[in-house]
């Protein structure tokens, strides 16, 4: 800044321009003279305002003084110096400023003699200026660096003047470097905030308010740092690398995500630091923190997606590793622990690669979620494996019990239920032992293993009960089948021929007794081995004829009940009342078979006695002697009789007369009547074929050749 003290005012207002060719960038301001006649003696408002503005924004102030004013009490420069020192007191925290006094039109008096006088005058002026209580004893050097230079007269010594001006100009190169003109400056406003800062300072000065430079510095730093932070944030949002990374992380896991993102954030924050280096540190740091928070808030979604990708991929790898370990025969619990441990380590390693060093984000929640997902998957696989084991061993039990139990119940005898119990115990123990060996690979409590084994045992019980209920549901059919089998077959399982010697009553009783035994076996489930009297009750009630009178009285009828003695309802398949009803229906449906057998036996007896008695034969011989003699005298009759005999014999064989009449006369006649015409036709056809056959096949063969 250049302040002038002179006789006439050549500059009006405040002018600014950049110094050409001086590094670093230097702005020069030219202010009005302080003693010009244009504004008058009383118009000091603008003078003080401009001086305050100059001191607030400038690092170096050049003050022009005439050489002949040095040492004079009423020199023109004294009002200027008073003004400078007075406005300095209005600054709450004055910045240290370099004052360069430029002595114009230097005389022959050496500068070494002029400078002490000038410094003494300056000190007197400083001492005479009223100061705040805090700065009563503050020396001049605290606020100002005093420099004195002298210029010869431009009109008399132009070349020397230019040389001296060039030397002073040279001192402005690198003026802010240590040892330079402004090397110890304080409270610097960066160039990017200079325009805004100057505008705000002048606004405050024009409103005639006290200028609080520290507060102003904070305000300028706040505005500019926030603007710079917003610029950096906007630049980061539109950054190509960030946009590509953000888009990529939506679909898959990006390798070195944390390293890439940290580098981008570091670049952005470093750029902010570079642009805000000279702003107030507290504001700069606060705005930097806000910028970091905004950036981290922006990228946190991508970080969370990365963690989700890591969790998803590690979970998928766990599934494959776990399935592979199980398929290789590794124990379930061991495979689960090993795979989970390795996968959690892998997750931690991937999370390290996703760490953003500017943030203190903790992936523990995702880690905990992954752990829960792994536990849930292990639990699901465990349940599925246990379900498969249960199904597998239930299938084995079904294969081992269903068919054999069904066969034992159909082929009932006194040892049916003991055999079923023995089979049940053997097969169930074998399957439970195999299952216990298979469960050893699972980390299960003993009680859980016992419950699993109990479940298999209960399944086996339910299976036997199911088969028993199915057979009990078709007991009538089984009884009829058994009755038919025993009644129609002998002890060698050969079909019976009712020749007349068989005891149908005894056979019927034996068959019914066996059927009654079948009914008693299927009447209740006897897996517990408890004794009961079902069979005895059924036999005594339904087969013993001495109990007919008892049957007629329902009050004393053992079968007129809904439960069996000593048999719980849960084990009852057929109640006593149902047994009585089934037996009655069974007798009715098998009665026809017995009747048919009796009829066949009677028919067989009759068929075996088809010849007439001996006396009838003797009567026929005596009475038919004349006819017999006639036949002997005429051989043609014998031939006709013989031919007739052959025809009748052929018809007898064709019609199977003996078998037809075995089941009774009426049924025999009906059977012969239906087969008589076809037998005649068949016999005629055979005779015709025999008549057309050549007698000598050899002659026929010769003719044909």
């Amino acid at each position: 800044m250049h302040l002038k003290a002179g006789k006439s005012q050549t500059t009006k207002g405040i002018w600014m321009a950049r110094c050409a060719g001086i590094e670093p960038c230097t702005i020069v301001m030219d202010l009005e003279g302080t003693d010009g006649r244009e504004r008058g003696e009383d118009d000091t408002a603008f003078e003080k305002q401009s001086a305050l503005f100059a001191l607030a924004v400038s690092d170096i102030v050049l003050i022009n003084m005439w050489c002949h004013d040095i040492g004079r009490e009423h020199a023109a420069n004294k009002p200027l110096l008073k003004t400078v020192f007075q406005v300095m007191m209005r600054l709450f925290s004055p910045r240290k400023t370099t004052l360069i006094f430029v002595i114009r039109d230097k005389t022959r008096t050496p500068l070494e003699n002029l400078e002490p006088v000038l410094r003494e005058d300056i000190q007197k002026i400083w001492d005479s200026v009223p100061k705040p209580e805090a700065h009563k004893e503050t020396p001049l050097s605290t606020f100002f660096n005093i420099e004195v230079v002298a210029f010869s007269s431009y009109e008399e010594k132009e070349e020397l003047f230019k040389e001296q001006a060039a030397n002073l100009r040279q001192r402005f190169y690198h003026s802010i470097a240590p040892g330079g003109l402004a090397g110890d400056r304080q409270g610097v406003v960066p160039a990017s905030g200079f325009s805004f800062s100057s505008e705000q300072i002048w606004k405050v000065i024009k409103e005639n308010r006290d200028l609080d430079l520290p507060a102003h510095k904070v305000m300028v730093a706040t505005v500019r740092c926030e603007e710079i932070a917003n610029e950096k944030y906007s630049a980061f949002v539109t950054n190509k690398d960030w946009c590509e990374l953000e888009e990529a992380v939506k679909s898959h896991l990006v390798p070195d995500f944390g390293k890439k993102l940290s580098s981008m954030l570091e670049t952005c924050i470093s750029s902010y630091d570079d642009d805000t280096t000279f702003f107030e540190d507290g504001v700069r740091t606060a705005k930097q923190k806000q910028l970091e928070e905004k950036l981290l808030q922006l990228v946190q979604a991508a970080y969370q997606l990365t963690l989700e990708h890591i969790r998803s991929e590690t979970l998928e790898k766990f599934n494959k590793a776990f399935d592979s370990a199980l398929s290789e025969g590794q124990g379930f619990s061991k495979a689960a622990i090993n795979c989970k441990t390795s996968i959690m380590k892998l997750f931690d390693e991937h999370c390290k690669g996703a760490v953003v060093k500017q943030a203190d984000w903790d992936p523990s929640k995702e880690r905990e979620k992954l752990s829960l997902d792994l536990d849930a998957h292990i639990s699901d696989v465990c349940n599925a494996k246990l379900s498969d084991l249960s199904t597998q061993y239930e299938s084995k039990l079904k294969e081992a019990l269903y068919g054999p139990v069904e066969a034992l119940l159909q082929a009932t005898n006194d040892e049916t239920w003991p055999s079923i119990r023995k089979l049940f115990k053997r097969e169930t123990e074998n399957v439970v032992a195999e299952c216990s060996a298979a469960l050893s690979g699972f980390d299960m409590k003993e009680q859980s293993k016992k419950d699993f084994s109990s479940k298999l045992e209960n399944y086996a019980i339910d299976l036997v009960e199911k088969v028993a209920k199915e057979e009990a549901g078709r007991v009538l059919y089984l009884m009829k089948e058994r009755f038919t089998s025993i009644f129609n077959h002998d002890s060698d399982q050969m079909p019976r021929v009712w020749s007349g010697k068989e005891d149908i009553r005894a056979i019927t009783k034996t068959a019914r007794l066996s059927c009654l035994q079948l009914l008693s076996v299927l009447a209740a489930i006897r897996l517990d081995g408890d004794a009961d009297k079902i069979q005895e009750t059924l036999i005594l009630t339904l087969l013993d004829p001495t109990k007919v009178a008892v049957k007629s009285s329902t009050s004393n009828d053992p079968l007129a009940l809904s439960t069996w003695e000593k048999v719980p309802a849960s084990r009852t398949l057929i109640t006593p009342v149902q047994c009585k009803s089934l037996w009655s229906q069974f007798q009715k449906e098998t009665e026809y078979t017995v009747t048919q057998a009796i009829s066949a036996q009677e028919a067989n007896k009759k068929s075996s006695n088809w010849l007439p008695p001996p006396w009838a034969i003797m009567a026929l011989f005596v009475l038919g002697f004349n006819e017999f003699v006639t036949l002997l005298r005429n051989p043609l009759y014998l031939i006709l009789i013989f031919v007739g005999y052959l025809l009748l014999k052929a018809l007898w064989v064709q019609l199977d007369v003996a078998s037809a009449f075995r089941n009774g006369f009426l049924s025999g006649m009906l059977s012969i009547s239906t087969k008589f015409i076809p037998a005649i036709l068949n016999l005629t056809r055979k005779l015709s074929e025999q008549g057309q056959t050549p007698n000598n096949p050899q002659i026929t063969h010769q003719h044909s050749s």
Side-chain angles (χ1 to χ4, degrees), residues 96 197 291 308 590:
K96 194 165 187 179
S197 175
L291 175 61
E308 290 178 9
T590 56

Side-chain angles (χ1 to χ4, degrees), residues 5 14 27 111 117 184 211 250 301 360 398 402 439 466 483 505 553 564 573 582 637 676 700:
I14 301 174
I27 302 296
L111 180 62
V117 177
D184 57 348
L211 182 62
K250 291 179 181 178
D360 57 350
K398 186 174 183 179
Y402 193 94
L439 292 177
K466 177 183 177 182
F483 180 84
R505 182 180 296 275
S553 177
W564 297 103
L573 297 177
L582 286 170
Y637 287 142
F676 183 75
T700 304

Side-chain angles (χ1 to χ4, degrees), residues 3 44-56 80-92 94 129-130 144 205 210-211 213:
L3 292 175
T44 60
F46 183 77
E47 172 187 325
K48 291 184 179 181
Q49 289 173 350
S50 61
L52 181 58
F53 178 74
L55 290 174
L80 171 64
L81 289 176
K82 286 183 180 181
T83 299
V84 170
F85 293 154
Q86 285 173 359
V87 298
M88 180 63 74
M89 294 302 100
R90 292 183 61 189
L91 302 179
F92 284 74
V129 171
F144 298 102
I205 292 173
D210 287 340
L211 182 62
L213 279 185

Side-chain angles (χ1 to χ4, degrees), residues 59-89:
D59 296 318
I60 303 171
V61 179
L62 279 73
I63 303 175
N64 282 324
M65 296 186 65
W66 299 109
C67 183
H68 59 264
D69 282 341
I70 297 176
R72 292 172 55 189
E73 185 66 25
H74 300 288
N77 64 314
K78 286 194 175 183
L80 171 64
L81 289 176
K82 286 183 180 181
T83 299
V84 170
F85 293 154
Q86 285 173 359
V87 298
M88 180 63 74
M89 294 302 100

Side-chain angles (χ1 to χ4, degrees), residues 410-702:
Q410 290 177 0
T412 53
N413 53 51
D414 293 337
E415 295 297 320
T416 296
W417 280 108
S419 299
I420 291 176
R421 287 194 294 271
K422 184 177 180 181
L423 173 69
F424 171 82
K425 183 179 180 181
R426 182 181 70 249
E427 298 298 335
T428 303
E429 288 178 352
N430 291 340
V431 171
V432 169
E434 290 181 19
C435 182
S436 299
L439 292 177
S440 61
F442 292 84
D443 187 15
M444 296 176 64
K445 297 180 180 179
E446 288 300 322
Q447 185 60 41
S448 299
K449 292 182 179 179
K450 290 180 180 178
D451 293 342
F452 198 89
S453 299
S454 299
K455 181 182 176 183
L456 286 178
E457 292 175 355
N458 292 334
Y459 174 81
I461 293 173
D462 293 341
L463 182 64
V464 173
E465 292 180 354
K466 177 183 177 182
V467 176
K469 289 177 181 178
E470 289 176 355
E471 297 303 310
R474 58 195 195 106
V475 63
L476 183 60
Y477 170 79
L478 295 175
M479 290 168 64
K480 290 191 294 183
E481 286 291 316
R482 171 167 289 198
F483 180 84
T484 302
S485 176
I486 296 175
F487 189 78
N488 291 330
H489 296 81
D490 57 18
S491 58
D492 297 327
Q493 294 300 312
M494 296 297 294
R496 292 185 188 275
V497 178
W498 303 107
S499 60
K501 299 178 182 180
E502 297 82 4
D503 187 353
I504 294 180
R505 182 180 296 275
I507 295 173
T508 301
K509 186 174 182 179
T510 301
R512 286 180 176 175
L513 179 61
S514 179
C515 294
L516 198 60
Q517 188 180 38
L518 172 63
L519 180 61
S520 68
V521 168
L522 293 177
I525 298 172
R526 300 175 177 86
L527 276 178
D528 296 334
D530 296 335
D532 58 67
K533 299 181 179 181
I534 296 176
Q535 185 171 341
E536 292 83 347
T537 302
L538 290 176
I539 293 174
L540 292 174
T541 306
L542 300 177
L543 281 184
D544 195 338
T546 61
K547 297 299 181 180
V548 174
V550 178
K551 292 181 188 178
S552 62
S553 177
T554 55
S555 60
N556 297 323
D557 188 356
L559 299 183
L561 300 171
S562 60
T563 58
W564 297 103
E565 185 182 357
K566 297 182 180 180
V567 178
S570 60
R571 297 297 182 185
T572 301
L573 297 177
I574 307 173
T575 63
V577 174
Q578 291 172 335
C579 286
K580 186 174 182 180
S581 175
L582 286 170
W583 185 255
S584 176
Q585 185 177 354
F586 165 74
Q587 285 184 315
K588 291 177 182 179
E589 294 184 8
T590 56
E591 186 176 352
Y592 178 75
T593 302
V594 178
T595 303
Q596 287 290 87
I598 295 172
S599 299
Q601 191 180 54
E602 292 177 353
N604 195 8
K605 289 180 179 179
K606 292 178 181 180
S607 65
S608 62
N609 296 325
W610 61 277
L611 292 175
W615 62 267
I617 296 174
M618 288 300 297
L620 287 173
F621 180 77
V622 173
L623 295 174
F625 181 78
N626 294 331
E627 287 77 4
F628 179 71
V629 173
T630 303
L631 290 174
L632 291 177
R633 290 178 179 176
N634 193 352
L636 182 60
Y637 287 142
L638 291 174
I639 295 172
L640 292 174
I641 291 172
F642 180 72
V643 172
Y645 170 76
L646 292 176
L647 290 174
L648 290 175
K649 183 66 175 178
L651 284 174
W652 184 278
V653 174
Q654 286 288 328
L655 296 175
D656 194 12
V657 175
S659 298
F661 282 96
R662 186 175 299 167
N663 295 325
F665 178 79
L666 182 60
S667 61
M669 290 300 296
L670 291 173
S671 177
I672 290 174
S673 64
T674 57
K675 295 187 291 183
F676 183 75
I677 300 300
I680 294 294
L681 295 175
N682 187 33
L683 185 61
T684 305
R685 180 176 56 79
K686 288 184 177 181
L687 291 175
S688 175
E689 290 176 356
Q690 290 293 329
Q692 292 177 2
T693 302
N695 293 328
N696 194 343
Q698 294 182 355
I699 298 174
T700 304
H701 178 70
Q702 290 176 0

Side-chain angles (χ1 to χ4, degrees), residues 138-156:
T138 303
L140 177 65
S141 59
T142 301
F143 295 147
F144 298 102
N145 291 323
I146 306 298
E147 297 281 345
V148 180
V149 296
F151 280 10
S152 300
S153 174
Y154 179 78
E155 294 178 356
E156 296 177 1

Side-chain angles (χ1 to χ4, degrees), residues 315-348:
L315 181 59
E316 184 177 351
K317 289 181 180 179
F318 172 81
N319 294 343
K320 293 180 179 178
F322 192 40
D323 292 342
S324 176
L326 293 178
S327 62
E328 291 174 359
Q330 203 172 97
F332 186 89
S333 298
K334 183 179 179 182
I337 294 173
N338 292 341
C339 291
K340 182 178 179 180
T341 302
S342 62
I343 287 300
M344 294 305 292
K345 289 182 180 178
L346 180 63
F347 177 82
D348 293 338

